[in-house]
Amino acid sequence: MLSVRIRNLSKRHFQSNFSVYFILTICFILGIIAGAFLINRLNYEESLKFANYFSWIFEYIQVGNSKSINIFKSSLFSNTKMILIIWFSSLISIGVLIIPLIVSLKGITIGVTVGFLVKKFGMKGFIFASSGLLPHYLIIIPGFLAIGALGITHSLYSTKNKKGKVNNNMIDYSILILLFFIIIILGVLIEGFFTPYLLNLIQFKL
């Protein structure tokens, strides 16, 4: 059965690639630290402009209500674009270099977003980051790290094995990518429809 195959593939993948997950987690954490550091080094105007580049939240606060479906589409497009870059780069050897950079960029995005919220709104911003952002981060980030780890291992595998073996491995690789992408879509749904609702309740003002 497909569900059994997916379960076995996932278990085998996690067990054999712990070191890859560790490295990507470090890259992600360093990205968060870098994003938070940068946002706190800038003045208000510069930090707002910088934060707007990384997150829809601040434009939403400035402009007012925006349709949740548009936020969902924007987040889905952004995450899909990153996943496609990971998938494409994993087909060639440079994936082992590009994928950690993409994961770090994801961390920077979160660091900038949370850093600016706390810098501008203090405890109110921290509470929103914990309640409004954490739910979808807890779903999207593990899925994103898993896809990154899959990409790196496939990139390494592709450079060491013959074409026929790569093609067989590509099936398992694609199944797992699809599984984690579905998980990310769930997180994007929460981001698109729950986070704006909470923003309206808190009523931030820049």
Side-chain angles (χ1 to χ4, degrees):
M1 294 178 63
L2 182 60
S3 60
V4 175
R5 183 178 183 183
I6 290 175
R7 191 183 310 116
N8 291 335
L9 285 173
S10 301
K11 183 178 179 180
R12 188 166 68 247
H13 168 71
F14 287 125
Q15 289 176 341
S16 60
N17 296 288
F18 175 79
S19 60
V20 177
Y21 276 94
F22 179 77
I23 292 171
L24 287 181
T25 300
I26 294 299
C27 290
F28 176 71
I29 292 173
L30 289 175
I32 293 177
I33 295 172
F37 176 79
L38 286 172
I39 207 70
N40 281 287
R41 295 285 292 180
L42 301 173
N43 61 40
Y44 176 74
E45 290 75 17
E46 291 173 333
S47 61
L48 179 58
K49 183 178 180 181
F50 193 63
N52 271 325
Y53 179 78
F54 281 96
S55 177
W56 59 266
I57 288 175
F58 307 106
E59 182 179 355
Y60 182 91
I61 295 173
Q62 290 174 285
V63 176
N65 290 344
S66 179
K67 291 183 178 180
S68 292
I69 188 64
N70 292 333
I71 296 172
F72 167 76
K73 288 179 180 178
S74 176
S75 180
L76 181 62
F77 175 77
S78 176
N79 283 284
T80 301
K81 181 173 63 176
M82 284 188 167
I83 292 169
L84 286 175
I85 293 173
I86 291 174
W87 178 82
F88 181 77
S89 64
S90 72
L91 302 180
I92 49 181
S93 57
I94 61 171
V96 296
L97 299 176
I98 292 178
I99 294 171
L101 292 177
I102 295 173
V103 171
S104 297
L105 179 62
K106 193 72 172 177
I108 290 173
T109 300
I110 294 175
V112 167
T113 304
V114 176
F116 185 85
L117 286 170
V118 174
K119 177 182 179 180
K120 172 62 180 175
F121 301 106
M123 183 55 66
K124 188 177 180 180
F126 177 77
I127 292 173
F128 170 72
S130 301
S131 58
L133 301 181
L134 192 60
H136 71 262
Y137 282 161
L138 287 176
I139 298 174
I140 292 176
I141 298 308
F144 199 83
L145 289 174
I147 289 176
L150 283 165
I152 288 178
T153 54
H154 185 74
S155 181
L156 292 170
Y157 186 90
S158 299
T159 60
K160 294 179 180 179
N161 293 274
K162 296 179 181 180
K163 184 177 180 181
K165 292 183 179 180
V166 172
N167 287 339
N168 290 332
N169 186 62
M170 191 70 180
I171 297 174
D172 292 344
Y173 172 60
S174 299
I175 290 174
L176 287 175
I177 287 285
L178 179 61
L179 169 65
F180 291 117
F181 181 60
I182 292 172
I183 292 173
I184 287 175
I185 291 176
L186 175 60
V188 172
L189 281 168
I190 295 174
E191 180 180 7
F193 294 95
F194 172 72
T195 303
Y197 172 74
L198 194 60
L199 272 174
N200 290 334
L201 290 179
I202 295 178
Q203 295 182 338
F204 284 117
K205 291 184 179 179
L206 291 174

